[in-house]
Amino acid sequence: MKAIQISGLRQMDIVDVAEQEMKADEVLLRLEYVGFCGSDLSTYLGKNPMVKMPVIPGHEVGAVIEKVGANVPEGLKPGMVVTCNPYTNCGKCASCRNQRVNACQHNETLGVQRNGAMREYIVLPWEKVIPAGLLDTRTCALIEPMSVGFHAVNRAQVTDIDVVVVIGCGMVGMGAIVRSALRGATVVAADIDDEKLTLAREMGASYTINTKTDDVHARLLEMTSGFGPDVIIEAVGCAQTYQMAVNEVAFTGRVVCIGYAKTDVSFQTKFFVQKELDIRGSRNAQPQDFRAVIHYLERGTCPVDRLISRVVTPEQAPQAMHQWEENPGKVFRILVKLKN
């Protein structure tokens, strides 16, 4: 069967790979749409330290169940529209012992540490297959990245009395904006791109800040009556935004970090103590986060078409990746359509 493979620096090819054998507790999925993640772009650019090369990318999945094994529960049937939980968990490490399997020490994510979903068919354990209710397969490809943002809001323990700043309005950041707004928080979206900030308002942000042109500190103090925001969620992954989060959050506030900074980050550590901050990492997502995103998308209020920048065929994928590299700030999600 055909698959997309990243085999080296800026090298993406269509390759033939063997079909996987399906065991009794596994499900065969027919892939229809798979999204390119920021981690896939990093892999393509040779900047992803976690990837095992060469690799078939893809973990943002919209698929249909083709076949189920003999031991698969009756709730999963051929013809169902599904997405998948693309993370593994060992069941033995400290994270798994604490039932936080999303942060498994030995996690292998589809398309990163193991071959992913940009192929015609994939076999997965039934526990990793998530029914998508009323959604179509195209919309399903947005569930995983939004669930990462939803999980960060859980980590921040956001409530209706909080002012929440989300730095970075990509797909993950949009997920954080949506769930914070759903919880009744006052949401401030921060980004360098005005088009993304406009969309962030449609997704639930009450205020926006262009971090390139606005005085961030002054704006945040104005919005919060001088206190600063209760929560800042960092969804970019660079030194400046990490520092901004620590500097701008209120005393006794919460900072949640999603993005992987590519360089070392220096902090005024006095803020950690003086503000008595809670600084938390947020990795991947848990099953309940996937369910929450599906529930939100089923409402039909999400501007799905505006979150999908482009749909391409496998043959067009290398060109699309090159264009994304040239203008990364203007892309939400590129989807690969694997079935006509």
Side-chain angles (χ1 to χ4, degrees), residues 133-210:
L134 302 176
L135 302 181
D136 57 48
T137 53
R138 179 171 167 266
T139 303
C140 282
L142 304 180
I143 294 171
E144 191 275 341
M146 291 192 76
S147 72
V148 176
F150 271 46
H151 180 65
V153 174
N154 268 348
R155 292 285 292 141
Q157 298 176 300
V158 170
T159 72
D160 58 345
I161 63 171
D162 288 323
V163 175
V164 179
V165 177
V166 179
I167 306 175
C169 295
M171 276 296 301
V172 171
M174 288 296 185
I177 289 167
V178 167
R179 195 164 211 193
S180 296
L182 288 173
R183 290 191 174 191
T186 301
V187 185
V188 182
D191 200 282
I192 61 173
D193 186 274
D194 285 330
E195 291 182 24
K196 288 185 176 180
L197 291 173
T198 298
L199 183 55
R201 281 187 177 270
E202 294 183 32
M203 302 286 284
S206 299
Y207 303 96
T208 59
I209 295 177
N210 187 312

Side-chain angles (χ1 to χ4, degrees), residues 60-106:
E60 302 173 359
V61 168
V64 175
I65 295 178
E66 184 79 5
K67 186 178 179 181
V68 299
N71 295 339
V72 173
E74 292 184 1
L76 296 174
K77 299 179 180 179
M80 289 182 67
V81 173
V82 297
T83 190
C84 76
N85 183 329
Y87 325 119
T88 64
N89 53 283
C90 69
K92 299 177 181 179
C93 70
S95 298
C96 291
R97 183 179 62 183
N98 292 328
Q99 299 183 345
R100 289 165 65 176
V101 296
N102 58 293
C104 174
Q105 182 178 352
H106 306 292

Side-chain angles (χ1 to χ4, degrees), residues 17 47 78 97 129 152 168 208 254 290 333:
V17 297
K47 297 179 180 180
R97 183 179 62 183
V129 177
T208 59
R254 288 100 74 197
F290 284 86
R333 272 304 176 269

